[in-house]
Amino acid sequence: MSWRTAGAVVFWAALLAAPLWLPGVGGYTALGTKILVYGIAALALNLFLGFTGGLSFGHAAWFGLGAYGAGMTLKYLLPSTPLAILVGTLVGGLAATLLGPFVMRRRGIYLAMITIAIGQLFYFVAVRWNNVTGGEDGLAGFQRMPVGFGGWSFDLRDETKYYYLVLACFAVAVAVLRALLASPLGHTWVAIRDNARRARFLGLRTDLYVWAAFAVSGTLTALAGTLNALLFNFTSPQDLHWILSGNFVIMIVLGGMRSFWGPLVGVVIFVVAQDYLSSLTDNWMTLIGLLFVLIVLLFPKGILGMLVQRGRAT
């Protein structure tokens, strides 16, 4: 068995056993669930940022649309958890796909500004549409429901059982991203990231490939949004705000945007630091900002990127 295979076995075994060992290290099951939810969003954004070279500060739009789609399905349509996840993912994914043409021909700061504008558009709709979205107070009055198969029922209201549902979704998202990045499409995305002009000279329609990356990334981010809404049985306009998009970018940079698992490392650092520091001080964001600055200065390739580089050097 290779070291890579052994590491993968240990990694997935640790995730499967997380509800058992998390309390022993001062954590709790909901914290592990939040890490997996944000992990899906960060890995999805990194498909666009780290592997295609597009800087988006508007991915919270798809995250929030997924959350509102799931919440509204449960509250206004049908109390079905699978349907809520499906509707929320489709709503966010379709929005990302339809709005993709507005960003696919832009690069750098222009792309970032357009994505911020799109995200803030949805944010203000959520704030103003009080009768449906709850406005600034957020959308409440829904909860995740048990899933039944014949005479068997899986009660997702239990935190541990919901963790395993999120873990299953995380595994599916990882499998999809792995398969895409290993395919010719994934290699094309990396080529566009490294040298978009050369890719165009080779006859590639780079704008269409960027659009595809944006759509896939947005759809998986919407999936994360649905799971986040079901985790807290609540969503608010803050799930659409550009600050959350910026937090996703920070997570990716912390862990390392050029590696597949780097964003997950950044999520663990960010979420655990947020959970611990917010219990100590109201100025926890200042401390996270200082941590981010130090890591960027000392480890410009991120934590995982630095570890991988040292491993290759030895």
Side-chain angles (χ1 to χ4, degrees):
M1 181 182 293
S2 67
W3 285 106
R4 179 173 294 183
T5 303
V9 171
V10 171
F11 171 73
W12 289 106
L15 289 182
L16 285 170
L20 300 177
W21 58 261
L22 272 175
V25 296
Y28 47 96
T29 302
L31 180 65
T33 306
K34 184 177 179 179
I35 288 174
L36 291 179
V37 169
Y38 277 28
I40 295 172
L43 289 171
L45 174 55
N46 196 47
L47 175 71
F48 188 66
L49 173 61
F51 291 99
T52 311
L55 178 58
S56 171
F57 279 103
H59 259 56
W62 326 129
F63 187 88
L65 286 174
Y68 273 101
M72 289 181 182
T73 299
L74 288 170
K75 185 171 184 177
Y76 299 125
L77 295 180
L78 187 69
S80 168
T81 299
L83 181 62
I85 294 174
L86 177 62
V87 171
T89 303
L90 288 177
V91 168
L94 285 174
T97 302
L98 294 175
L99 293 172
F102 290 99
V103 305
M104 67 184 185
R105 291 185 176 88
R106 300 291 181 266
R107 303 285 288 183
I109 189 64
Y110 301 104
L111 190 155
M113 295 301 293
I114 291 175
T115 55
I116 288 177
I118 292 173
Q120 290 304 100
L121 172 65
F122 288 113
Y123 170 80
F124 285 111
V125 169
V127 168
R128 298 297 182 185
W129 202 5
N130 292 283
N131 294 335
V132 178
T133 64
E136 293 184 350
D137 294 331
L139 182 67
F142 65 90
Q143 64 175 344
R144 55 184 185 268
M145 303 299 293
V147 177
F149 300 94
W152 177 78
S153 178
F154 192 69
D155 192 357
L156 294 175
R157 291 171 295 188
D158 180 79
E159 292 289 347
T160 301
K161 292 180 179 179
Y162 184 65
Y163 170 85
Y164 285 112
L165 172 66
V166 175
L167 179 59
C169 294
F170 177 80
V172 170
V174 167
V176 169
L177 290 170
R178 278 289 198 188
L180 287 174
L181 290 173
S183 69
L185 176 60
H187 294 305
T188 303
W189 284 332
V190 173
I192 293 171
R193 178 199 70 189
D194 292 340
N195 196 321
R197 179 176 294 180
R198 181 174 295 178
R200 286 193 295 270
F201 284 162
L202 292 174
L204 295 177
R205 289 289 305 276
T206 58
D207 53 345
L208 296 181
Y209 285 102
V210 171
W211 185 8
F214 192 78
V216 173
S217 178
T219 300
L220 292 176
T221 303
L223 171 62
T226 67
L227 298 173
N228 191 68
L230 296 175
L231 171 62
F232 298 106
N233 294 317
F234 175 77
T235 187
S236 74
Q238 297 306 313
D239 289 334
L240 291 155
H241 201 272
W242 68 268
I243 291 179
L244 180 59
S245 299
N247 287 342
F248 289 149
V249 174
I250 289 174
M251 295 171 195
I252 293 171
V253 175
L254 283 176
M257 71 175 81
R258 293 296 179 95
S259 60
F260 183 84
W261 291 112
L264 184 61
V265 174
V267 168
V268 172
I269 295 172
F270 188 96
V271 173
V272 172
Q274 178 189 39
D275 185 74
Y276 177 71
L277 294 175
S278 62
S279 66
L280 299 178
T281 174
D282 292 334
N283 298 319
W284 59 270
M285 278 299 294
T286 302
L287 298 176
I288 289 183
L290 291 174
L291 174 65
F292 175 70
V293 171
L294 287 174
I295 289 180
V296 169
L297 290 176
L298 299 176
F299 314 115
K301 293 186 177 181
I303 297 295
L304 189 59
M306 178 270 296
L307 295 176
V308 170
Q309 187 177 30
R310 286 191 176 182
R312 289 174 178 173
T314 56

